[in-house]
């Protein structure tokens, strides 16, 4: 998903050992562009430019042809228009499989079949003039639920024609992983890939051999005060994604609706969470869980993270008195770097 709170920073940490001669030959290459409604930035370190902007564009186009709701004729749009389902490609199968796993793991807080509700609240591909009525929401809830969605061999099938999926919540994390895999296929082992604030990191910056840094902005919800402090982490490898609820919203007169929709109630999540940054082995996993953690609220999110040690997280939330606070899991705290 689009995550404006994550700022990309590549900086020196202070590993001052001289690299071996073969490593010193590496130099940075930068690729930048626009994709999936946002920007991307790739920095990799190699002896020559083995990965080009053209190869990145081809990979992005292939993913959009599968997962983009904004691409006419994409596989996900074909599925949503179909009465029973379609034959899926590798991208759609991988992302749906992860979505189903995380749905089960979070007891339905993350659910790819939430698309009809997302569209009804005005966060789909079409403009909506007014929020949905309670009756409309109840009607749409009958089409929502991952128990109505099945992967059977190469096919993605549904129990009801009205079951639609929206994978925007994890498609960018998956895309970051696929761009990282593109680099890996060219034997590149030191890189940072960022798309819409979602990040995948491996290795070091060369020729100095320093780790790369990721800065995480602490947002402020007031209209008067600027954004607050920034934490900086040092990371050797993994995926880092952020979900937040206060910059992407709809204003319906006095009613303000955040874009994260609870698939169980049909209404936007209402709790004290402001943003969640998740670290996992890959960006797809991190991206799949950050929305669900936002929906849990701070107490349940921390309890969930204690039971899921493969996830580390940094959480920003609002106290009952209106002040902003933050907390992090022990594994995430160990990554903090002095600024």
């Amino acid at each position: 998903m689009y995550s404006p709170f994550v700022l990309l920073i590549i900086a020196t940490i202070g590993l001052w050992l001289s690299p071996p001669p073969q490593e010193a030959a590496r130099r940075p290459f930068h690729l930048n562009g626009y994709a999936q409604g946002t920007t991307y930035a790739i920095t990799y370190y190699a002896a020559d430019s083995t990965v080009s902007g053209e190869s990145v564009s081809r990979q992005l186009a292939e993913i959009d042809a599968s997962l983009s709701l904004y691409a006419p004729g994409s596989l996900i749009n074909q599925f949503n228009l179909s009465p029973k389902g379609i034959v899926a490609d590798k991208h759609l199968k991988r992302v749906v499989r992860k979505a189903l796993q995380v749905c089960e793991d979070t007891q339905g807080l993350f659910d790819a079949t939430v698309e009809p509700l997302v569209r009804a609240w005005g966060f789909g591909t079409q403009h909506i003039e007014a929020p949905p009525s309670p009756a409309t929401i109840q009607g749409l809830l009958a089409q929502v639920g991952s128990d109505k969605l099945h992967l059977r061999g190469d096919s993605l099938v549904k129990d009801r024609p009205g079951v639609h999926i929206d994978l925007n919540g994890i498609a960018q994390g998956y895309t970051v992983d696929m761009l990282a895999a593109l680099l890996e296929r060219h034997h590149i082992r030191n890189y940072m890939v960022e798309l819409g604030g979602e990040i995948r990191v491996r290795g070091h910056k060369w020729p100095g051999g320093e780790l790369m840094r990721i800065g995480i902005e602490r947002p402020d919800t007031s209209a008067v005060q600027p954004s607050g402090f920034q934490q900086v982490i040092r990371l050797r490898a993994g995926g880092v994604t952020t979900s937040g609820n206060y910059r992407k919203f709809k204003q319906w007169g006095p009613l303000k609706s955040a874009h994260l929709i609870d698939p169980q109630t049909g209404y936007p999540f209402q709790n004290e969470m402001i943003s969640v940054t998740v670290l996992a082995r890959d960006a797809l996993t991190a991206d799949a869980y950050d929305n669900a953690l936002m929906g849990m609220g701070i107490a349940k999110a921390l309890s969930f993270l204690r039971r899921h040690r493969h996830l580390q997280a940094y959480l920003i939330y609002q106290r009952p008195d209106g002040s902003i606070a933050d907390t992090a899991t022990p594994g995430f705290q160990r990554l903090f770097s002095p600024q």
Side-chain angles (χ1 to χ4, degrees):
M1 75 239 43
Y2 178 65
S3 305
F5 322 130
V6 176
L7 304 180
L8 193 61
I9 302 172
I10 303 178
T12 301
I13 316 173
L15 297 177
W16 303 115
L17 296 175
S18 297
Q22 68 271 24
E23 302 292 4
R26 295 176 183 170
R27 57 194 178 96
F29 294 91
H30 305 284
L31 299 171
N32 301 275
Y34 185 82
Q36 299 182 358
T38 184
T39 58
Y40 70 85
I42 300 171
T43 297
Y44 68 90
Y45 299 86
D48 53 51
S49 55
T50 55
V51 175
S52 66
E54 183 179 354
S55 61
V56 169
S57 295
R58 284 197 300 269
Q59 179 68 90
L60 291 169
E62 181 182 306
I63 293 171
D64 281 351
S66 178
L67 305 179
S68 176
L69 289 172
Y70 293 87
S74 67
L75 282 177
I76 191 171
N77 280 322
Q78 291 179 39
F79 173 81
N80 287 345
L81 292 172
S82 71
K84 295 183 179 179
I86 62 168
V87 175
D89 69 353
K90 63 181 180 180
H91 301 300
L92 189 58
K93 285 190 291 185
R94 288 170 183 168
V95 178
V96 168
R97 185 175 293 111
K98 174 64 75 170
L100 293 173
Q101 291 171 351
V102 176
C103 180
E104 181 178 3
D105 197 25
T106 61
Q107 297 182 326
L109 281 179
F110 178 86
D111 196 318
T113 66
V114 77
E115 192 273 346
L117 292 165
V118 171
R119 180 162 29 93
W121 282 98
F123 297 105
T125 59
Q126 299 178 344
H127 177 71
I128 302 296
E129 294 290 344
S133 67
T136 296
I137 291 172
Q138 287 303 310
L140 293 175
L141 282 172
Q143 311 300 325
V144 174
S146 285
D147 58 323
K148 305 175 184 68
L149 186 68
H150 314 280
L151 279 168
R152 293 174 182 161
D154 289 332
S155 296
L156 178 62
V157 299
K158 49 184 163 180
D159 293 344
R160 299 183 183 184
V163 173
H164 290 188
I165 58 175
D166 181 344
L167 298 171
N168 287 343
I170 53 176
Q172 287 187 353
Y174 176 74
T175 302
V176 168
D177 286 340
M178 290 301 97
L179 294 176
L182 172 63
L183 298 176
E184 297 273 359
R185 288 196 297 274
H186 287 81
H187 309 290
I188 296 169
R189 302 294 184 261
N190 299 276
Y191 56 80
M192 180 180 283
V193 178
E194 180 265 339
L195 171 68
E198 319 295 45
I199 296 171
R200 179 75 178 261
V201 168
R202 181 178 177 182
H204 302 79
K205 179 181 177 182
W206 294 96
E210 310 94 358
L211 289 175
M212 300 171 196
R213 285 182 166 188
I214 300 171
I216 305 164
E217 182 185 357
R218 173 179 174 173
D220 193 300
T221 55
S222 73
V224 178
Q225 298 296 325
S227 297
F229 72 42
Q230 182 186 79
Q231 292 283 10
V232 178
I233 62 173
R234 300 175 296 177
L235 186 61
R236 186 178 304 275
V240 179
T241 70
T242 298
S243 179
N245 68 359
Y246 78 102
R247 289 190 180 178
K248 189 177 180 182
F249 60 88
K250 295 289 184 180
Q251 193 76 44
W252 317 96
L255 177 65
K256 183 177 178 180
S257 301
H259 75 287
L260 298 176
I261 310 299
D262 186 341
Q264 298 172 345
T265 68
Y267 289 85
F269 286 115
Q270 296 288 335
N271 58 38
E272 71 275 35
M273 303 298 287
I274 296 174
S275 73
V276 175
T277 299
V278 177
L279 166 64
R281 181 176 180 177
D282 55 77
L284 173 61
T285 299
D287 213 5
Y289 281 98
D290 59 14
N291 280 346
L293 289 166
M294 282 289 297
M296 292 179 191
I298 189 65
K300 290 183 179 179
L302 291 173
S303 177
F304 183 89
L305 289 165
R306 285 192 290 270
R307 300 192 307 272
H308 293 74
R309 299 304 178 97
H310 66 292
L311 304 173
Q312 301 298 327
Y314 174 60
L315 307 95
I316 301 173
Y317 61 99
Q318 192 167 31
R319 296 190 182 102
D321 64 3
S323 62
I324 294 176
D326 67 303
T327 188
T329 59
F332 205 101
Q333 290 177 350
R334 287 193 289 270
L335 301 175
F336 287 149
S337 170
Q339 300 180 44

